[in-house]
C-alpha cells in the first residue's frame, strides 16, 4: 500500500450513507467505501434495481459480512415509485450477485426501513452527511418527500447515474435513472447539491483483466472481488468492453477524492414521459434552457487514480488496516 494512502487514512472522515442495489459494482463500491479509510459510513440502505429488494438486502448483508463491516442496513423500496420493477438480471444474474461464493450473512438488517434510517441518521448527525446512491433513486426521493427537513442535513448527493451521452438501458437512458425516472426527477429538483457520476465517465474507468488477476492474488477479499468481476465481465465482454466498468465505485471515489473526476456545473432535467426517451438525463452544457444549474456532471476521469483507490482499499480490508486507523472506532 502506498505511503500516501496510509497517511491519508488518519484524517477526518467524511460521513456518508450509501444507498445501493447490489449488484456487482455496488459490492465493489461498498468495499471501496469501507476500505479507503476516508469515509465514516453511518449506514447502508438497499433498494430494488439490479435485483429484487429482498436480494439487494441479502447481498448487501453478505458483502458487509464478508468485509466485517458492522453498520446498520435499512431495507428500502421493492419497486420504483410509479413503474414496475425491471431488474438487470442479464448483467447481475438471478441473485443479483452471481459469482459471490460469500458466507451466509452474519449480519441482519436494521429494524428501520431505508427511509426511516435515512431520516433518523440525518436528523441525529451533528454535521451534514453525504448521500451516495448507486442504484435507482427511489429511497432518496421518498425520504425527501416524506421528510423535507432532512434535505438541509445533506452536504451533497454523489450519485452514480445518468449520461450526457448514450444510455445503457435504452439508447437514451442509463439504468438507475431509467428504473425510476420520477424518483430521479424529485432528487434533481430537490435543491440539494448533486454530483452526477454517469456513464460518460464510468465507461472510461474500466478495471482490466490484469488488475482483476492482481486482486485475485491479493487476499481473501480480493479473491471475492475477482470472483464477482469474473461473472460481471461476461455481459460487458459480450458488448465489446475490454474491461469492467465498476460504475458505482467511481461515485464513492468521487466523495473522498474529488480530483478523480472533473465536472461541469450545469442544468440537468429528467425526462419522465417520452416513449423512447423516458429516463434520459437531459444535460444542458450550453445553458440554452436558461434554467439554473442543479448538478455537477462528471465529464472526465483519472482511471489509473481510481483503480489505485480500489486496489488499496481491498488490500486494506484484507490487512485489517481500515479498522486500526479508524479513530472513531478505536
Ligand atoms: O448503469 C449502471 C448502474 O446500474 C450501476 O449502478 C449498476 O449497479 C446498475 O445499478
Ligand atoms: Ca448499482
Amino acid at each position: 500500500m502506498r505511503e500516501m494512502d496510509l497517511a491519508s487514512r488518519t484524517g477526518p472522515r467524511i460521513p456518508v450513507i450509501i444507498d445501493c442495489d447490489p449488484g456487482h459494482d455496488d459490492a465493489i463500491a461498498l468495499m471501496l467505501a469501507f476500505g479507503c479509510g476516508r469515509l465514516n459510513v453511518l449506514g447502508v440502505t438497499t433498494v430494488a434495481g439490479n435485483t429484487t429488494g429482498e436480494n439487494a438486502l441479502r447481498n448487501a448483508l453478505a458483502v458487509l459480512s464478508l468485509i466485517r463491516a458492522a453498520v446498520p442496513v435499512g431495507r428500502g423500496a421493492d419497486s420504483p415509485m410509479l413503474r414496475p420493477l425491471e431488474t438487470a438480471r442479464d448483467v447481475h444474474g438471478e441473485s443479483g450477485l452471481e459469482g459471490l461464493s460469500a458466507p451466509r450473512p452474519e449480519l441482519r438488517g436494521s429494524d428501520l426501513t431505508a427511509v426511516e434510517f435515512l431520516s433518523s441518521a440525518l436528523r441525529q448527525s451533528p454535521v451534514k452527511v453525504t448521500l451516495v446512491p448507486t442504484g435507482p433513486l427511489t429511497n432518496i426521493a421518498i425520504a425527501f418527500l416524506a421528510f423535507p427537513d432532512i434535505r438541509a442535513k445533506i452536504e451533497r448527493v454523489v450519485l452514480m447515474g445518468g449520461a450526457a451521452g448514450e444510455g445503457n438501458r435504452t439508447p437514451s437512458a442509463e439504468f438507475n435513472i431509467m428504473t425510476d425516472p420520477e424518483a430521479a426527477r424529485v432528487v434533481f429538483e430537490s435543491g440539494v447539491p448533486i454530483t452526477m457520476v454517469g456513464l460518460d465517465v464510468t465507461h472510461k474507468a474500466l478495471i482490466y483483466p490484469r488488475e482483476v488477476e492482481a486482486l485475485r492474488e491479493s487476499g481473501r477479499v480480493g479473491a471475492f472481488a475477482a470472483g464477482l468481476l469474473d461473472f460481471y465481465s461476461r455481459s460487458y465482454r459480450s458488448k465489446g468492453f475490454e474491461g469492467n466498468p465498476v460504475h458505482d465505485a467511481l461515485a464513492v471515489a468521487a466523495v473522498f477524492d474529488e480530483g478523480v473526476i472533473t465536472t461541469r456545473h450545469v442544468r440537468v432535467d429528467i425526462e419522465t414521459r417520452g416513449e423512447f426517451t423516458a429516463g434520459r438525463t437531459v444535460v444542458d452544457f450550453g445553458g440554452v434552457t436558461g434554467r439554473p444549474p442543479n448538478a455537477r456532471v462528471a465529464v472526465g476521469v483519472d482511471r489509473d487514480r481510481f483503480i489505485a483507490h480500489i486496489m488499496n482499499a481491498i488490500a486494506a480490508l484484507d490487512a485489517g488496516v481500515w479498522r486500526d486507523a479508524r479513530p472513531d472506532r478505536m
Side-chain angles (χ1 to χ4, degrees), residues 224-242:
F224 275 118
L228 281 175
L229 292 167
D230 289 343
F231 179 88
Y232 184 56
S233 63
R234 297 180 357 179
S235 68
Y236 281 100
R237 206 169 30 244
S238 68
K239 295 170 191 164
F241 281 77
E242 293 180 6

Side-chain angles (χ1 to χ4, degrees), residues 78-99:
D78 283 340
S79 76
M81 292 204 312
L82 300 179
R83 296 168 185 249
L85 174 65
E86 292 182 24
T87 66
R89 69 165 59 88
D90 52 319
V91 176
H92 300 276
E94 198 59 41
S95 73
L97 210 53
E98 293 303 322

Side-chain angles (χ1 to χ4, degrees), residues 23-30 50 92 134 160 232 245-249:
H24 292 70
D25 55 326
D26 303 75
I28 304 297
L30 289 172
N50 281 324
H92 300 276
T134 63
M160 192 281 141
Y232 184 56
V246 269
H247 306 278
D248 298 332

